C-alpha cells in the first residue's frame, strides 16, 4: 500500500491520476487531497474516495464542506495546500508516502519543500516547482533521500530512456544529450504575422493533448517547452547545451536520449497522460494500463523539424533565462504566469505575452543561488510590476 497526498485533484492531471488509482484501489490510499474552486468536482471525488484531509482555495467553501462531511478535516488557502502535502494520517503508519503535485503554477513550490522535509517522495507534474526552485529542491532531495519522479510526459520519457547506469541524477557521462519533442501547439501552422490576430478561443485548441487552459496557452507560445527545458536541466542534472528541442507534431515520441556512442533511445506511445502518471506511481515496476496501444499494422508517419527559435522566441528566452540561472527562471515563470492571466482576461493580445516576458527579463537583476525567501520575493515583485503596468482595472 502506498499513501497518496494529491495536490490539484480536480485539474486535468489530478482527475486522470484518480482514474489511474481507481484501477489499483487496493494499492493506493488517498490520504489527503486539494482542489481549488471546483467544489462540484470535489464532491464527485468524495463519492469514490475517502480522504482524511481536504484543502480548498476559499475559507467559505471549507466552512460549508465541514458541516456536510463530518469525517473529513477541511482546510483552505496556501497553508491548507501545505497541510494537505504534510498531513499525518492516523492509519497506515508503515506505508510508502507519495505526494503527487499536480497544481498549476508557482503555488506548488512550498508544499513540495515541506513534504520532502517529511521524507515523502514527490511525483511531480507541477513543472514550476523545479523551474523556480530547482537548486533548493535538488539539495533537499539529496539531504532527505527521497525520490523525485517526473509526471510530465517528456520527462517521464527521458527517465524511461535513461538506463540504470544513468538514471537518478548522478553522473550522466554516457548521455550526450536529451532531445525534448514539441508538438508546436495550437498555432504551429500560423506565421508570425498571423499571430497578431489570434484570439483566446484559438489559443485554447491544442491539436494533440487535452489539458488545462494555462498549459494549453503555454504550448501555443512554446513557453511550456521552455519551462520543460529548465525542468529537465534540474531533474537530470544536465547543462543546457545538452538539452535539445525538436518539433514533432504527431506527439508519438515523447522525448529521447542520445548516448555518447550515437544510439538514440525514444519512448513512444499514443498521447495520453495516464501513462506517465501510472509509470510514476508504479516505478520501478510496470503494470497493465488503459492506454490505447500503438498498432503497427496501421501506418504511422512521424516527422521531425528543427526548432525555429525565431518563430518561438519564448523558448529562446527560456534557454537564456535558464543559462543565466539564479533567479532568472523565477522571473521568466512569474512574468509568463501574469501575462497569461492578462491574456485570459482579454486585457492583452497573444503576442503581448512574449513582449511582457522579454521586457521583464531585460529589466531584472540576477541573484545567483537564491534562497526560498528570495525566490518568493522576486516572484511577488515581478508579478506586481506587470500588474501595475498592464492591468489598469486591478491596479
Ligand atoms: Mn509536457
Amino acid at each position: 500500500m502506498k499513501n497518496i497526498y494529491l495536490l490539484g485533484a480536480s485539474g486535468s492531471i489530478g482527475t486522470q491520476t484518480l482514474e489511474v488509482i481507481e484501477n489499483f484501489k487496493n494499492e493506493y490510499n488517498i490520504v489527503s487531497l486539494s482542489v481549488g474552486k471546483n467544489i462540484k468536482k470535489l464532491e464527485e471525488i468524495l463519492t469514490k474516495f475517502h480522504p482524511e484531509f481536504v484543502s480548498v482555495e476559499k475559507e467559505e467553501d471549507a466552512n460549508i464542506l465541514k458541516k456536510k462531511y463530518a469525517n473529513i478535516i477541511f482546510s483552505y488557502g496556501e497553508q491548507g495546500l501545505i497541510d494537505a502535502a504534510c498531513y499525518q494520517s492516523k492509519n497506515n503508519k508503515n506505508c510508502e508516502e507519495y505526494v503527487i503535485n499536480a497544481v498549476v503554477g508557482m503555488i506548488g513550490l512550498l508544499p513540495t519543500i515541506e513534504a520532502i522535509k517529511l521524507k515523502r517522495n514527490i511525483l511531480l507534474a507541477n513543472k514550476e516547482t523545479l523551474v523556480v526552485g530547482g537548486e533548493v529542491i535538488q539539495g533537499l532531495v539529496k539531504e532527505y533521500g527521497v525520490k523525485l519522479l517526473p509526471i510530465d510526459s517528456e520527462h517521464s520519457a527521458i527517465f524511461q530512456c535513461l538506463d540504470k547506469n544513468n538514471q537518478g541524477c548522478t553522473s550522466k557521462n554516457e548521455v550526450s544529450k536529451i532531445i525534448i519533442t514539441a508538438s508546436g501547439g495550437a498555432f504551429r501552422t500560423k506565421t508570425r504575422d498571423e499571430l497578431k490576430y489570434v484570439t483566446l478561443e484559438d489559443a485554447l485548441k491544442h491539436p494533440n493533448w487535452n489539458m488545462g487552459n494555462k498549459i494549453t496557452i503555454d504550448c501555443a507560445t512554446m513557453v511550456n517547452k521552455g519551462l520543460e527545458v529548465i525542468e529537465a536541466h534540474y531533474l537530470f542534472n544536465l547543462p543546457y547545451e545538452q538539452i535539445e528541442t525538436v518539433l514533432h507534431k504527431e506527439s508519438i515520441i515523447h522525448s529521447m536520449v542520445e548516448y555518447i556512442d550515437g544510439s538514440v533511445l525514444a519512448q513512444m506511445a499514443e498521447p495520453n497522460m495516464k501513462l506517465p502518471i501510472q509509470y510514476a506511481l508504479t516505478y520501478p515496476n510496470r503494470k497493465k494500463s488503459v492506454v490505447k496501444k500503438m498498432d503497427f499494422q496501421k501506418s504511422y508517419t512521424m516527422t521531425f523539424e528543427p526548432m525555429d527559435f525565431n518563430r518561438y522566441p519564448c523558448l529562446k528566452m527560456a534557454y537564456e533565462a535558464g543559462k543565466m540561472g539564479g533567479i532568472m527562471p523565477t522571473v521568466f515563470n512569474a512574468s509568463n504566469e501574469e501575462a497569461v492571466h492578462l491574456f485570459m482576461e482579454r486585457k492583452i493580445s497573444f503576442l503581448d505575452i512574449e513582449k511582457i516576458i522579454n521586457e521583464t527579463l531585460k529589466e531584472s537583476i540576477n541573484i545567483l543561488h537564491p534562497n526560498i525567501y528570495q525566490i518568493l520575493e522576486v516572484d511577488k515583485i515581478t508579478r506586481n510590476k506587470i500588474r501595475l503596468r498592464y492591468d489598469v482595472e486591478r491596479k
Side-chain angles (χ1 to χ4, degrees):
M1 198 74 155
K2 288 176 178 174
N3 276 343
I4 303 292
Y5 308 83
L6 176 58
L7 310 182
S10 61
S12 172
I13 298 289
T15 306
Q16 294 181 79
T17 301
L18 291 172
E19 284 168 17
V20 169
I21 287 178
E22 262 199 289
N23 294 331
F24 304 102
K25 269 208 158 146
N26 300 327
E27 291 169 57
Y28 302 99
N29 174 36
I30 306 270
V31 180
S32 76
L33 56 84
S34 86
V35 302
K37 296 188 195 79
N38 197 342
I39 305 304
K40 193 170 159 253
K41 189 77 170 266
L42 170 65
E43 298 206 73
E44 276 170 42
I45 294 170
L46 294 180
T47 62
K48 291 182 185 163
F49 298 93
H50 307 285
E52 296 169 44
F53 184 98
V54 171
S55 181
V56 296
E57 198 173 309
K58 294 194 163 141
E59 188 178 4
E60 307 93 270
D61 288 334
N63 289 336
I64 296 167
L65 288 160
K66 266 177 204 166
K67 289 178 192 144
K68 218 168 156 184
Y69 300 91
N71 298 331
I72 301 173
I73 303 168
F74 286 94
S75 185
Y76 61 91
E78 289 190 30
Q79 186 59 44
L81 194 62
I82 296 172
D83 293 342
C86 297
Y87 179 75
Q88 300 281 358
S89 170
K90 284 145 200 86
N91 317 309
N92 307 308
K93 287 262 159 57
N94 296 320
C95 293
E96 277 184 81
E97 310 273 14
Y98 286 86
V99 174
I100 302 179
N101 184 344
V103 298
V104 178
M106 165 82 182
I107 193 160
L109 178 64
L110 284 180
T112 309
I113 289 177
E114 295 308 316
I116 294 172
K117 290 181 187 165
L118 293 176
K119 297 202 173 176
R120 291 185 179 169
N121 301 301
I122 309 291
L123 309 185
L124 196 63
N126 172 265
K127 52 197 87 184
E128 292 84 356
T129 294
L130 277 181
V131 169
V132 305
E135 269 183 29
V136 175
I137 295 282
Q138 282 301 13
L140 289 169
V141 164
K142 272 196 198 111
E143 186 182 340
Y144 290 91
V146 300
K147 277 188 257 181
L148 175 65
L149 302 176
I151 287 184
D152 209 346
S153 63
E154 293 80 0
H155 305 78
S156 176
I158 292 162
F159 187 64
Q160 293 179 60
C161 293
L162 288 170
D163 57 36
K164 292 232 163 56
N165 287 338
N166 295 287
Q167 228 171 29
C169 293
T170 50
S171 122
K172 294 286 182 294
N173 292 336
E174 291 167 3
V175 173
S176 56
K177 64 182 170 191
I178 57 179
I179 303 139
I180 300 179
T181 53
S183 71
F187 301 144
R188 64 191 179 200
T189 58
K190 292 202 185 319
T191 63
R192 295 275 310 160
D193 260 353
E194 288 168 327
L195 290 180
K196 283 180 197 157
Y197 310 107
V198 295
T199 65
L200 176 60
E201 286 70 25
D202 298 332
L204 290 176
K205 285 177 205 140
H206 194 282
N208 303 354
W209 296 93
N210 186 6
M211 303 174 294
N213 287 351
K214 196 260 177 185
I215 188 172
T216 304
I217 291 168
D218 285 349
C219 286
T221 56
M222 207 53 93
V223 162
N224 182 55
K225 214 44 58 180
L227 296 173
E228 289 178 351
V229 165
I230 301 172
E231 185 187 5
H233 165 78
Y234 290 112
L235 196 58
F236 302 113
N237 191 23
L238 280 173
Y240 288 95
E241 290 70 24
Q242 285 171 265
I243 304 173
E244 191 174 296
T245 49
V246 62
L247 285 164
H248 167 55
K249 64 171 185 266
E250 294 82 8
S251 295
I252 294 172
I253 290 184
H254 300 301
S255 280
M256 303 177 259
V257 173
E258 184 195 83
Y259 286 91
I260 47 176
D261 59 1
S263 254
V264 176
L265 301 195
Q267 186 259 345
M268 288 194 267
E270 296 278 347
N272 186 333
M273 283 309 295
K274 283 185 187 163
L275 186 54
I277 291 167
Q278 179 172 318
Y279 186 68
L281 281 166
T282 62
Y283 175 81
N285 305 310
R286 288 182 188 272
K287 296 223 158 109
K288 276 195 180 163
S289 85
V290 296
V291 175
K292 188 172 148 233
K293 298 224 166 67
M294 293 187 67
D295 178 1
F296 291 100
Q297 301 317 307
K298 292 181 196 154
S299 54
Y300 285 96
T301 304
M302 281 195 257
T303 58
F304 302 96
E305 284 171 67
M307 182 52 71
D308 182 348
F309 288 98
N310 295 320
R311 171 67 181 74
Y312 295 109
C314 290
L315 180 58
K316 192 170 167 221
M317 290 187 261
Y319 268 100
E320 285 164 2
K323 282 179 189 172
M324 282 187 265
I327 204 74
M328 296 316 268
T330 300
V331 174
F332 177 81
N333 179 66
S335 55
N336 176 60
E337 278 191 32
E338 280 311 311
V340 171
H341 281 160
L342 291 167
F343 177 64
M344 293 212 283
E345 292 169 357
R346 299 174 200 274
K347 287 174 179 155
I348 60 168
S349 73
F350 181 75
L351 285 179
D352 284 338
I353 298 174
E354 64 185 47
K355 187 184 125 205
I356 290 174
I357 299 171
N358 186 36
E359 69 189 18
T360 312
L361 283 171
K362 285 209 171 109
E363 288 165 6
S364 300
I365 297 157
N366 201 2
I367 304 168
L368 290 174
H369 312 295
N371 63 35
I372 196 69
Y373 304 103
Q374 291 170 313
I375 291 169
L376 294 173
E377 186 63 16
V378 169
D379 177 75
K380 206 165 89 187
I381 291 169
T382 307
R383 286 165 194 270
N384 286 342
K385 191 163 76 180
I386 293 166
R387 264 179 231 162
L388 279 172
R389 197 173 288 167
Y390 290 93
D391 192 349
V392 184
E393 281 163 46
R394 265 195 285 181
K395 210 165 11 183

